[in-house]
Amino acid sequence: QVHLMESGGGVVQPGRSLRLSCAASGFTFSDYAMHWVRQAPGKGLEWVAVISYDGSYENYADSVKGRLTISRNNPKNTLYLQMNSLRDDDTAVYYCVRQAPTSPFDPWGQGIMVTVSS
Amino acid sequence: DIQLTQSPSFLSASVGDRITITCRASQGISTYLAWFQQNLGKAPKLLIYAASTLQSGVPSRFSGSGSATEFTLTINSLQPDDFATYYCLQLKSYPYTFGQGTKLEIK
């Protein structure tokens, strides 16, 4: 069964750092590109970043470029999001999502909350 | 960046109704469009990809159509589980972008 599970969220002060992880199981992780998507409280979905299946390509939303970094460890079947210089508007539920040539953006993890607050 | 505009933002309907949600792209995206359903407090669920291909396991009352700049999601014979928020997503070019969402409420 294909499964994604995020971890590492919590409350952090503005300007500080946090690293999210997404553990993948039930499929060959190294075959798939992966994304992070976030959703601020009461708001819509925002695409954050993508990484290719082998980690050779990354792309970011302008709102996070230079502060958030996506990476992956294929032998550990894990996706990461390193979040630096956090701001109040980074407060959101963060989802990891698999990309396939068919069935893009499926499945999604259950999401992990990140709250940036002093 | 490609902007997606969904309409309406809110929709009130009854069980058994047929509804349509529109997603307009600011430039042509061929059929690189997906639709998602999100229930409160849950992760989004893929309904349709490539504008009109039904994801495995999704009921056939859901359908999608369109290409280039105008797309529609249609739900026939609304069921209680269908009252949720719906989003479109363009996968033509980065940065990927979502529509602002359509909240479907019970009348």
Side-chain angles (χ1 to χ4, degrees):
Chain A
Q1 181 183 359
V2 177
H3 190 62
L4 298 170
M5 180 173 289
E6 302 91 343
S7 61
V11 180
V12 61
Q13 293 179 327
R16 304 299 290 265
S17 298
L18 200 64
R19 188 177 81 159
L20 304 183
S21 299
C22 170
S25 59
F27 65 102
T28 305
F29 180 68
S30 58
D31 284 350
Y32 294 86
M34 298 292 296
H35 298 262
W36 287 99
V37 174
R38 68 183 181 183
Q39 186 169 36
K43 302 297 185 183
L45 300 169
E46 180 187 17
W47 176 82
V48 172
V50 61
I51 188 166
S52 61
Y53 70 100
D54 62 354
S56 63
Y57 175 83
E58 303 164 22
N59 205 313
Y60 298 90
D62 288 345
S63 59
V64 307
K65 208 170 289 185
R67 300 185 303 113
L68 275 57
T69 303
I70 191 171
S71 63
R72 65 191 298 158
N73 184 324
N74 283 346
K76 291 187 175 181
N77 293 327
T78 304
L79 176 72
Y80 301 101
L81 186 67
Q82 178 65 42
M83 310 171 71
N84 297 333
S85 303
L86 282 163
R87 310 186 308 214
D88 290 352
D89 61 0
D90 292 318
T91 294
V93 174
Y94 286 75
Y95 297 98
C96 60
V97 195
R98 186 182 73 169
Q99 166 109 35
T102 58
S103 300
F105 278 69
D106 180 75
W108 296 57
Q110 85 285 354
I112 192 79
M113 185 71 204
V114 172
T115 302
V116 183
S117 174
S118 54
Chain B
D1 297 1
I2 298 172
Q3 310 301 320
L4 295 182
T5 303
Q6 282 183 239
S7 60
S9 295
F10 297 92
L11 183 56
S12 182
S14 302
V15 172
D17 284 354
R18 178 178 183 265
I19 66 99
T20 297
I21 299 169
T22 298
C23 180
R24 289 188 173 88
S26 59
Q27 58 187 269
I29 59 171
S30 183
T31 57
Y32 291 95
L33 189 103
W35 289 97
F36 299 86
Q37 176 193 65
Q38 188 179 33
N39 288 293
L40 195 62
K42 301 292 187 183
K45 171 187 170 184
L46 176 66
L47 298 175
I48 286 167
Y49 61 94
S52 61
T53 302
L54 196 66
Q55 169 70 345
S56 176
V58 173
S60 59
R61 63 180 180 274
F62 291 89
S63 64
S65 65
S67 65
T69 61
E70 185 145 341
F71 303 85
T72 59
L73 172 70
T74 299
I75 312 174
N76 288 301
S77 187
L78 279 170
Q79 300 300 301
D81 285 350
D82 300 339
F83 291 93
T85 301
Y86 293 86
Y87 294 92
C88 53
L89 167 69
Q90 68 83 16
L91 302 98
K92 179 67 167 64
S93 64
Y94 291 116
Y96 286 177
T97 45
F98 288 90
Q100 82 277 14
T102 296
K103 187 173 183 180
L104 176 58
E105 298 179 324
I106 298 178
K107 187 182 289 184

Coordinates of all heavy atoms in Angstrom, one line a residue, chain B residues 7-99:
Chain B
S7 N -14.4 29.3 -10.7 CA -15.7 29.9 -10.4 C -16.8 28.8 -10.4 O -16.7 27.9 -11.1 CB -16.1 31.0 -11.5 OG -16.1 30.4 -12.8
P8 N -17.8 29.0 -9.5 CA -17.8 30.0 -8.4 C -16.9 29.7 -7.3 O -16.3 28.6 -7.2 CB -19.3 30.0 -8.0 CG -19.6 28.5 -8.1 CD -18.9 28.0 -9.3
S9 N -16.7 30.6 -6.3 CA -15.9 30.3 -5.1 C -16.7 29.6 -4.1 O -16.2 28.8 -3.3 CB -15.4 31.6 -4.5 OG -14.5 32.3 -5.4
F10 N -18.0 29.8 -4.1 CA -19.0 29.1 -3.2 C -20.1 28.6 -4.1 O -20.6 29.3 -5.0 CB -19.4 30.0 -2.1 CG -18.4 30.4 -1.2 CD1 -17.7 31.6 -1.4 CD2 -18.0 29.6 -0.1 CE1 -16.7 32.0 -0.6 CE2 -16.9 30.1 0.7 CZ -16.3 31.3 0.5
L11 N -20.6 27.4 -3.7 CA -21.8 26.8 -4.5 C -22.6 26.1 -3.5 O -22.1 25.3 -2.7 CB -21.2 25.9 -5.5 CG -22.2 25.2 -6.5 CD1 -23.0 26.2 -7.2 CD2 -21.4 24.4 -7.5
S12 N -23.9 26.4 -3.5 CA -24.9 25.7 -2.7 C -25.8 24.8 -3.5 O -26.3 25.3 -4.5 CB -25.7 26.8 -1.9 OG -26.6 26.1 -1.0
A13 N -25.9 23.5 -3.1 CA -26.6 22.6 -3.9 C -27.2 21.5 -3.0 O -26.9 21.4 -1.8 CB -25.7 21.9 -5.0
S14 N -28.1 20.7 -3.6 CA -28.8 19.7 -2.8 C -28.4 18.3 -3.3 O -27.9 18.1 -4.4 CB -30.3 19.8 -3.0 OG -30.8 21.1 -2.6
V15 N -28.5 17.3 -2.4 CA -28.3 15.9 -2.8 C -29.1 15.6 -4.1 O -30.3 15.9 -4.1 CB -28.6 15.0 -1.7 CG1 -28.5 13.5 -2.1 CG2 -27.7 15.2 -0.5
G16 N -28.4 15.0 -5.0 CA -29.1 14.6 -6.3 C -28.9 15.6 -7.4 O -29.2 15.3 -8.6
D17 N -28.5 16.9 -7.1 CA -28.2 17.9 -8.1 C -27.0 17.6 -9.0 O -26.2 16.8 -8.6 CB -28.0 19.3 -7.4 CG -29.3 19.9 -6.9 OD1 -30.4 19.3 -7.1 OD2 -29.1 21.0 -6.2
R18 N -27.0 18.2 -10.1 CA -25.8 18.2 -11.0 C -25.1 19.6 -10.9 O -25.8 20.6 -11.0 CB -26.2 17.9 -12.4 CG -25.1 17.9 -13.4 CD -25.7 17.6 -14.8 NE -24.7 17.5 -15.9 CZ -24.4 18.5 -16.7 NH1 -25.0 19.6 -16.6 NH2 -23.5 18.3 -17.6
I19 N -23.8 19.6 -10.7 CA -23.1 20.9 -10.6 C -21.9 20.9 -11.5 O -21.4 19.9 -11.8 CB -22.7 21.2 -9.1 CG1 -21.7 20.3 -8.6 CG2 -24.0 21.2 -8.2 CD1 -20.3 20.8 -8.6
T20 N -21.5 22.1 -11.8 CA -20.3 22.3 -12.7 C -19.5 23.4 -12.1 O -20.0 24.5 -11.7 CB -20.7 22.7 -14.1 OG1 -21.5 21.7 -14.7 CG2 -19.5 23.0 -14.9
I21 N -18.2 23.2 -12.0 CA -17.2 24.1 -11.5 C -16.3 24.4 -12.7 O -15.8 23.5 -13.4 CB -16.4 23.6 -10.3 CG1 -17.3 23.3 -9.1 CG2 -15.3 24.6 -9.9 CD1 -16.7 22.5 -8.0
T22 N -15.9 25.7 -12.9 CA -15.1 26.1 -14.0 C -13.7 26.6 -13.5 O -13.6 27.2 -12.4 CB -15.7 27.3 -14.8 OG1 -17.0 26.8 -15.3 CG2 -14.8 27.8 -15.9
C23 N -12.7 26.2 -14.3 CA -11.3 26.7 -14.0 C -10.7 27.3 -15.2 O -10.7 26.6 -16.3 CB -10.5 25.5 -13.5 SG -8.8 25.8 -13.1
R24 N -10.3 28.5 -15.2 CA -9.8 29.2 -16.3 C -8.3 29.5 -16.1 O -8.0 30.0 -15.0 CB -10.6 30.5 -16.6 CG -12.0 30.3 -17.1 CD -12.7 31.6 -17.6 NE -13.9 31.3 -18.2 CZ -15.1 31.1 -17.6 NH1 -15.1 31.3 -16.3 NH2 -16.2 30.9 -18.3
A25 N -7.5 29.2 -17.1 CA -6.1 29.5 -17.0 C -5.7 30.8 -17.8 O -6.3 31.1 -18.8 CB -5.3 28.3 -17.7
S26 N -4.7 31.5 -17.3 CA -4.3 32.7 -17.8 C -3.6 32.6 -19.2 O -3.4 33.6 -19.9 CB -3.4 33.5 -16.8 OG -2.3 32.7 -16.5
Q27 N -3.2 31.4 -19.5 CA -2.6 31.1 -20.8 C -2.8 29.6 -21.1 O -3.2 28.8 -20.2 CB -1.1 31.4 -20.8 CG -0.2 30.7 -19.8 CD 1.2 31.2 -19.8 OE1 2.0 30.6 -20.5 NE2 1.5 32.2 -19.0
G28 N -2.7 29.2 -22.3 CA -3.0 27.8 -22.7 C -2.1 26.8 -22.0 O -0.9 26.9 -21.9
I29 N -2.8 25.8 -21.4 CA -2.0 24.7 -20.7 C -2.4 23.3 -21.3 O -2.2 22.3 -20.7 CB -2.3 24.7 -19.2 CG1 -3.8 24.6 -18.9 CG2 -1.8 26.0 -18.6 CD1 -4.1 24.4 -17.4
S30 N -2.9 23.3 -22.6 CA -3.2 22.0 -23.2 C -4.2 21.3 -22.2 O -5.2 21.9 -21.9 CB -2.0 21.2 -23.5 OG -2.3 20.0 -24.1
T31 N -3.9 20.1 -21.9 CA -4.8 19.4 -20.9 C -4.0 19.0 -19.6 O -4.3 18.1 -18.9 CB -5.3 18.1 -21.5 OG1 -4.3 17.3 -22.0 CG2 -6.3 18.4 -22.7
Y32 N -3.0 19.9 -19.3 CA -2.2 19.6 -18.1 C -2.9 20.2 -16.9 O -2.5 21.1 -16.2 CB -0.8 20.3 -18.2 CG 0.0 19.6 -19.3 CD1 0.1 20.1 -20.6 CD2 0.8 18.5 -18.9 CE1 0.9 19.4 -21.5 CE2 1.6 17.8 -19.9 CZ 1.6 18.3 -21.1 OH 2.4 17.7 -22.1
L33 N -4.1 19.6 -16.6 CA -4.9 20.1 -15.5 C -5.4 18.9 -14.7 O -5.8 17.9 -15.2 CB -6.1 20.9 -16.0 CG -6.8 21.6 -14.8 CD1 -6.4 23.1 -14.8 CD2 -8.3 21.5 -14.9
A34 N -5.4 19.1 -13.3 CA -6.0 18.1 -12.4 C -7.0 18.7 -11.5 O -7.0 19.9 -11.3 CB -4.9 17.4 -11.6
W35 N -7.9 17.9 -11.0 CA -8.9 18.3 -10.0 C -8.8 17.5 -8.7 O -8.5 16.3 -8.8 CB -10.3 18.1 -10.6 CG -10.7 19.0 -11.7 CD1 -10.6 18.8 -13.0 CD2 -11.2 20.4 -11.6 NE1 -11.1 19.9 -13.8 CE2 -11.5 20.8 -12.9 CE3 -11.6 21.2 -10.5 CZ2 -12.0 22.1 -13.1 CZ3 -12.1 22.4 -10.7 CH2 -12.3 22.9 -12.0
F36 N -9.0 18.2 -7.6 CA -8.9 17.6 -6.3 C -10.1 17.9 -5.5 O -10.7 19.0 -5.6 CB -7.6 18.1 -5.6 CG -6.3 17.8 -6.3 CD1 -5.8 18.6 -7.3 CD2 -5.6 16.6 -6.0 CE1 -4.7 18.3 -7.9 CE2 -4.4 16.3 -6.7 CZ -4.0 17.2 -7.6
Q37 N -10.4 17.0 -4.6 CA -11.4 17.2 -3.6 C -10.8 17.2 -2.2 O -9.9 16.4 -1.9 CB -12.4 16.0 -3.6 CG -13.5 16.0 -2.6 CD -14.3 14.7 -2.5 OE1 -13.7 13.7 -2.2 NE2 -15.5 14.7 -2.8
Q38 N -11.1 18.1 -1.4 CA -10.6 18.2 0.0 C -11.7 18.3 1.0 O -12.5 19.3 1.0 CB -9.6 19.3 0.2 CG -8.9 19.3 1.5 CD -7.9 20.4 1.7 OE1 -8.1 21.5 1.2 NE2 -6.8 20.1 2.4
N39 N -11.8 17.4 1.9 CA -12.7 17.5 3.0 C -12.0 18.1 4.2 O -10.8 18.1 4.3 CB -13.2 16.1 3.4 CG -14.2 15.5 2.4 OD1 -15.3 16.0 2.2 ND2 -13.8 14.5 1.7
L40 N -12.8 18.8 5.0 CA -12.3 19.6 6.1 C -11.3 18.7 7.0 O -11.7 17.6 7.4 CB -13.5 20.1 7.0 CG -13.1 21.2 7.9 CD1 -12.6 22.5 7.2 CD2 -14.3 21.6 8.8
G41 N -10.1 19.3 7.1 CA -9.1 18.6 8.0 C -8.4 17.4 7.4 O -7.7 16.8 8.1
K42 N -8.7 17.2 6.1 CA -8.1 16.0 5.4 C -7.2 16.5 4.3 O -7.3 17.6 3.8 CB -9.2 15.1 4.8 CG -10.2 14.6 5.9 CD -9.6 13.6 6.8 CE -10.6 13.0 7.7 NZ -10.0 12.1 8.7
A43 N -6.3 15.6 3.8 CA -5.5 15.8 2.7 C -6.4 15.8 1.4 O -7.4 15.1 1.3 CB -4.4 14.8 2.6
P44 N -6.0 16.6 0.4 CA -6.7 16.6 -0.9 C -6.6 15.2 -1.5 O -5.7 14.4 -1.2 CB -5.9 17.6 -1.7 CG -5.3 18.5 -0.7 CD -4.9 17.6 0.4
K45 N -7.6 14.9 -2.3 CA -7.7 13.6 -3.0 C -7.8 13.9 -4.5 O -8.6 14.7 -4.9 CB -8.9 12.9 -2.5 CG -9.3 11.6 -3.3 CD -10.6 11.1 -2.8 CE -11.1 10.0 -3.7 NZ -12.5 9.5 -3.3
L46 N -7.0 13.2 -5.3 CA -7.0 13.4 -6.8 C -8.3 12.8 -7.3 O -8.6 11.6 -7.1 CB -5.8 12.7 -7.4 CG -5.7 12.7 -8.9 CD1 -5.5 14.1 -9.4 CD2 -4.5 11.8 -9.4
L47 N -9.0 13.6 -8.1 CA -10.2 13.1 -8.8 C -10.0 12.8 -10.3 O -10.4 11.8 -10.8 CB -11.3 14.1 -8.7 CG -11.8 14.5 -7.3 CD1 -12.8 15.6 -7.4 CD2 -12.4 13.3 -6.6
I48 N -9.4 13.8 -10.9 CA -9.2 13.8 -12.4 C -7.9 14.3 -12.7 O -7.4 15.3 -12.1 CB -10.4 14.6 -13.0 CG1 -11.7 13.9 -12.9 CG2 -10.0 15.0 -14.5 CD1 -12.9 14.7 -13.2
Y49 N -7.2 13.8 -13.7 CA -6.0 14.3 -14.3 C -6.0 14.3 -15.8 O -7.0 13.7 -16.4 CB -4.8 13.5 -13.8 CG -4.8 12.0 -14.1 CD1 -4.1 11.6 -15.3 CD2 -5.4 11.1 -13.4 CE1 -4.1 10.3 -15.6 CE2 -5.4 9.8 -13.7 CZ -4.7 9.4 -14.8 OH -4.7 8.0 -15.2
A50 N -5.1 15.0 -16.4 CA -5.1 15.2 -17.8 C -6.4 15.8 -18.3 O -7.0 15.4 -19.3 CB -4.7 13.9 -18.6
A51 N -7.0 16.6 -17.5 CA -8.3 17.3 -17.7 C -9.5 16.5 -17.7 O -10.6 16.9 -17.3 CB -8.2 18.1 -19.1
S52 N -9.4 15.2 -18.1 CA -10.6 14.4 -18.3 C -10.5 12.9 -17.9 O -11.5 12.2 -18.0 CB -11.1 14.5 -19.7 OG -10.2 14.0 -20.6
T53 N -9.3 12.5 -17.4 CA -9.1 11.1 -17.0 C -9.5 10.9 -15.6 O -8.9 11.6 -14.7 CB -7.7 10.7 -17.3 OG1 -7.3 10.9 -18.6 CG2 -7.5 9.2 -16.9
L54 N -10.4 10.0 -15.3 CA -10.9 9.7 -14.0 C -9.8 8.9 -13.2 O -9.4 7.8 -13.7 CB -12.2 9.0 -14.0 CG -13.1 9.0 -12.8 CD1 -13.6 10.4 -12.4 CD2 -14.3 8.0 -13.0
Q55 N -9.4 9.3 -12.0 CA -8.5 8.6 -11.2 C -9.2 7.3 -10.8 O -10.4 7.2 -10.5 CB -8.1 9.4 -10.0 CG -7.3 8.6 -8.9 CD -5.9 8.2 -9.4 OE1 -5.6 8.2 -10.5 NE2 -5.1 7.8 -8.4
S56 N -8.4 6.2 -10.7 CA -8.9 4.9 -10.3 C -9.6 5.0 -9.0 O -9.1 5.6 -8.0 CB -7.7 3.9 -10.2 OG -8.2 2.7 -9.7
G57 N -10.8 4.4 -8.9 CA -11.5 4.4 -7.6 C -12.4 5.6 -7.4 O -13.2 5.6 -6.5
V58 N -12.4 6.6 -8.3 CA -13.3 7.7 -8.2 C -14.6 7.4 -8.9 O -14.6 6.9 -10.0 CB -12.6 9.0 -8.8 CG1 -13.6 10.2 -8.8 CG2 -11.3 9.3 -8.0
P59 N -15.7 7.7 -8.2 CA -17.0 7.4 -8.8 C -17.2 8.1 -10.2 O -16.7 9.2 -10.4 CB -18.0 7.9 -7.8 CG -17.3 7.9 -6.5 CD -15.9 8.2 -6.8
S60 N -17.9 7.4 -11.0 CA -18.1 7.9 -12.4 C -19.1 9.1 -12.5 O -19.2 9.7 -13.6 CB -18.7 6.7 -13.3 OG -19.9 6.3 -12.7
R61 N -19.7 9.5 -11.4 CA -20.5 10.7 -11.4 C -19.6 11.9 -11.5 O -20.1 13.0 -11.8 CB -21.4 10.8 -10.2 CG -20.7 10.9 -8.8 CD -21.7 11.0 -7.7 NE -21.0 11.2 -6.4 CZ -20.6 10.1 -5.7 NH1 -20.8 8.9 -6.1 NH2 -20.0 10.3 -4.5
F62 N -18.3 11.8 -11.3 CA -17.3 12.9 -11.5 C -16.8 12.8 -12.9 O -16.5 11.8 -13.4 CB -16.1 12.8 -10.5 CG -16.5 13.0 -9.1 CD1 -16.9 12.0 -8.3 CD2 -16.4 14.3 -8.5 CE1 -17.2 12.2 -7.0 CE2 -16.7 14.5 -7.2 CZ -17.1 13.4 -6.4
S63 N -16.8 14.0 -13.6 CA -16.2 14.0 -14.9 C -15.5 15.4 -15.1 O -15.9 16.4 -14.5 CB -17.2 13.8 -16.0 OG -18.2 14.8 -16.0
G64 N -14.5 15.4 -16.0 CA -13.8 16.6 -16.3 C -13.7 16.8 -17.8 O -13.7 15.8 -18.6
S65 N -13.7 18.1 -18.2 CA -13.5 18.4 -19.7 C -12.8 19.7 -19.8 O -12.5 20.4 -18.9 CB -14.9 18.4 -20.3 OG -15.6 19.5 -19.8
G66 N -12.4 19.9 -21.1 CA -11.7 21.2 -21.4 C -10.3 21.0 -21.9 O -9.7 19.9 -21.8
S67 N -9.8 22.1 -22.5 CA -8.4 22.2 -22.9 C -8.0 23.6 -23.1 O -8.9 24.5 -23.1 CB -8.2 21.4 -24.2 OG -8.9 22.0 -25.2
A68 N -6.7 23.9 -23.2 CA -6.2 25.2 -23.4 C -6.4 26.1 -22.2 O -5.6 26.0 -21.3 CB -6.8 25.8 -24.7
T69 N -7.5 26.9 -22.2 CA -7.7 27.8 -21.1 C -8.9 27.6 -20.3 O -9.1 28.3 -19.2 CB -7.6 29.3 -21.6 OG1 -8.7 29.5 -22.5 CG2 -6.3 29.6 -22.2
E70 N -9.8 26.8 -20.7 CA -11.1 26.6 -20.0 C -11.4 25.1 -19.7 O -11.4 24.3 -20.6 CB -12.3 27.2 -20.8 CG -13.6 27.2 -20.0 CD -14.4 28.4 -20.3 OE1 -13.9 29.5 -20.7 OE2 -15.6 28.4 -20.0
F71 N -11.7 24.9 -18.4 CA -11.9 23.5 -18.0 C -13.1 23.5 -17.0 O -13.4 24.5 -16.4 CB -10.7 23.0 -17.2 CG -9.4 23.1 -18.0 CD1 -8.7 24.3 -18.1 CD2 -8.9 22.0 -18.7 CE1 -7.5 24.4 -18.8 CE2 -7.8 22.1 -19.5 CZ -7.1 23.2 -19.5
T72 N -13.8 22.3 -17.0 CA -14.9 22.1 -16.1 C -14.8 20.8 -15.4 O -14.3 19.8 -15.9 CB -16.2 22.2 -16.9 OG1 -16.3 21.2 -17.8 CG2 -16.4 23.6 -17.5
L73 N -15.3 20.9 -14.1 CA -15.5 19.7 -13.3 C -17.0 19.6 -13.1 O -17.6 20.5 -12.7 CB -14.8 19.8 -12.0 CG -15.1 18.7 -11.0 CD1 -14.5 17.3 -11.4 CD2 -14.6 19.0 -9.6
T74 N -17.6 18.4 -13.5 CA -19.0 18.2 -13.3 C -19.2 17.0 -12.4 O -18.5 16.0 -12.4 CB -19.7 17.9 -14.7 OG1 -19.5 19.0 -15.5 CG2 -21.2 17.6 -14.5
I75 N -20.2 17.2 -11.4 CA -20.6 16.1 -10.6 C -22.0 15.9 -10.8 O -22.9 16.8 -10.6 CB -20.3 16.5 -9.1 CG1 -18.9 17.0 -8.8 CG2 -20.5 15.2 -8.2 CD1 -18.7 17.5 -7.4
N76 N -22.4 14.7 -11.2 CA -23.8 14.3 -11.4 C -24.3 13.7 -10.2 O -23.6 12.9 -9.5 CB -23.9 13.3 -12.6 CG -23.6 14.0 -13.9 OD1 -24.3 15.0 -14.3 ND2 -22.6 13.6 -14.7
S77 N -25.6 13.9 -9.9 CA -26.3 13.3 -8.8 C -25.5 13.4 -7.5 O -24.9 12.4 -7.0 CB -26.6 11.8 -9.1 OG -27.4 11.3 -8.2
L78 N -25.3 14.6 -7.0 CA -24.5 14.8 -5.8 C -24.9 13.9 -4.6 O -26.1 13.6 -4.4 CB -24.7 16.3 -5.3 CG -23.9 17.4 -6.0 CD1 -24.4 18.7 -5.6 CD2 -22.4 17.2 -5.7
Q79 N -23.9 13.4 -4.0 CA -24.0 12.5 -2.8 C -23.5 13.3 -1.6 O -22.8 14.2 -1.7 CB -23.3 11.2 -3.0 CG -23.7 10.4 -4.2 CD -25.2 10.0 -4.1 OE1 -25.6 9.4 -3.1 NE2 -26.0 10.4 -5.0
P80 N -24.0 12.9 -0.4 CA -23.6 13.6 0.8 C -22.0 13.7 1.0 O -21.6 14.8 1.4 CB -24.2 12.7 1.9 CG -25.4 12.1 1.3 CD -25.0 11.8 -0.1
D81 N -21.3 12.7 0.6 CA -19.8 12.8 0.7 C -19.2 13.8 -0.3 O -18.0 14.1 -0.1 CB -19.2 11.4 0.4 CG -19.4 10.5 1.5 OD1 -19.8 10.9 2.6 OD2 -19.1 9.3 1.4
D82 N -19.9 14.3 -1.2 CA -19.4 15.2 -2.2 C -19.3 16.7 -1.8 O -18.6 17.5 -2.4 CB -20.2 15.2 -3.5 CG -20.3 13.8 -4.1 OD1 -19.4 13.0 -3.8 OD2 -21.2 13.6 -4.9
F83 N -19.9 17.0 -0.6 CA -19.9 18.4 -0.1 C -18.5 18.6 0.5 O -18.2 18.1 1.6 CB -21.1 18.6 0.8 CG -22.4 18.6 0.0 CD1 -23.1 17.4 -0.1 CD2 -22.8 19.7 -0.6 CE1 -24.3 17.4 -0.8 CE2 -24.0 19.7 -1.4 CZ -24.7 18.5 -1.5
A84 N -17.7 19.3 -0.2 CA -16.3 19.5 0.1 C -15.8 20.7 -0.6 O -16.6 21.4 -1.3 CB -15.5 18.3 -0.3
T85 N -14.5 21.0 -0.6 CA -13.9 22.0 -1.4 C -13.1 21.4 -2.5 O -12.4 20.4 -2.3 CB -12.9 22.9 -0.5 OG1 -13.7 23.5 0.6 CG2 -12.3 24.0 -1.3
Y86 N -13.2 22.0 -3.7 CA -12.6 21.5 -4.9 C -11.5 22.4 -5.5 O -11.8 23.7 -5.5 CB -13.6 21.2 -6.0 CG -14.5 20.0 -5.5 CD1 -15.7 20.3 -4.7 CD2 -14.3 18.7 -5.9 CE1 -16.5 19.3 -4.3 CE2 -15.1 17.7 -5.5 CZ -16.2 18.0 -4.7 OH -17.0 16.9 -4.2
Y87 N -10.4 21.9 -5.9 CA -9.3 22.7 -6.4 C -8.9 22.2 -7.8 O -8.8 21.0 -8.0 CB -8.1 22.7 -5.5 CG -8.3 23.3 -4.1 CD1 -8.7 22.5 -3.1 CD2 -8.0 24.6 -3.9 CE1 -8.8 23.1 -1.8 CE2 -8.2 25.2 -2.7 CZ -8.6 24.4 -1.6 OH -8.7 25.0 -0.4
C88 N -8.5 23.1 -8.7 CA -7.8 22.7 -9.9 C -6.3 23.0 -9.8 O -6.0 23.9 -8.9 CB -8.4 23.4 -11.1 SG -8.5 25.2 -11.1
L89 N -5.5 22.3 -10.5 CA -4.1 22.5 -10.5 C -3.5 22.4 -11.9 O -3.9 21.5 -12.6 CB -3.4 21.4 -9.6 CG -1.9 21.2 -9.8 CD1 -1.2 22.4 -9.1 CD2 -1.5 19.9 -9.1
Q90 N -2.7 23.4 -12.3 CA -2.1 23.3 -13.6 C -0.7 22.7 -13.5 O 0.1 23.0 -12.6 CB -2.0 24.6 -14.3 CG -1.1 25.7 -13.7 CD 0.4 25.6 -14.1 OE1 0.7 24.9 -15.1 NE2 1.3 26.2 -13.4
L91 N -0.4 21.7 -14.4 CA 0.9 21.0 -14.3 C 1.7 21.3 -15.7 O 2.5 20.4 -16.1 CB 0.7 19.5 -14.1 CG 0.0 19.1 -12.9 CD1 -1.5 18.8 -13.2 CD2 0.6 17.9 -12.3
K92 N 1.4 22.4 -16.3 CA 2.0 22.7 -17.6 C 3.4 23.2 -17.4 O 4.3 22.8 -18.1 CB 1.2 23.7 -18.4 CG 1.8 24.1 -19.7 CD 1.8 23.0 -20.7 CE 2.1 23.4 -22.1 NZ 3.4 24.0 -22.3
S93 N 3.6 24.1 -16.4 CA 4.9 24.6 -16.2 C 5.1 25.1 -14.8 O 4.1 25.4 -14.1 CB 5.2 25.8 -17.1 OG 4.3 26.9 -16.9
Y94 N 6.3 25.1 -14.3 CA 6.6 25.6 -13.0 C 6.7 27.1 -12.9 O 7.2 27.7 -13.9 CB 8.0 25.0 -12.5 CG 7.9 23.5 -12.3 CD1 8.7 22.7 -13.0 CD2 7.1 23.0 -11.3 CE1 8.6 21.3 -12.8 CE2 7.0 21.6 -11.1 CZ 7.8 20.8 -11.8 OH 7.7 19.4 -11.6
P95 N 6.2 27.7 -11.9 CA 5.7 27.1 -10.7 C 4.3 26.6 -10.9 O 3.4 27.3 -11.5 CB 5.7 28.2 -9.7 CG 5.5 29.5 -10.5 CD 6.3 29.2 -11.8
Y96 N 4.0 25.3 -10.5 CA 2.7 24.8 -10.5 C 1.8 25.7 -9.7 O 2.2 26.3 -8.7 CB 2.6 23.4 -10.0 CG 3.2 22.3 -10.9 CD1 3.2 21.0 -10.4 CD2 3.6 22.6 -12.1 CE1 3.7 20.0 -11.2 CE2 4.2 21.6 -12.9 CZ 4.2 20.3 -12.5 OH 4.7 19.3 -13.2
T97 N 0.5 25.9 -10.1 CA -0.4 26.7 -9.4 C -1.8 26.1 -9.3 O -2.2 25.4 -10.2 CB -0.6 28.1 -10.2 OG1 -0.7 27.9 -11.6 CG2 0.6 29.0 -9.9
F98 N -2.4 26.4 -8.1 CA -3.8 25.9 -7.9 C -4.7 27.0 -8.1 O -4.4 28.2 -7.9 CB -3.9 25.5 -6.4 CG -3.2 24.2 -6.1 CD1 -1.8 24.2 -5.6 CD2 -3.8 23.0 -6.1 CE1 -1.2 23.0 -5.3 CE2 -3.2 21.8 -5.8 CZ -1.9 21.8 -5.4
G99 N -6.0 26.6 -8.4 CA -7.1 27.6 -8.3 C -7.3 27.9 -6.9 O -6.8 27.2 -6.0

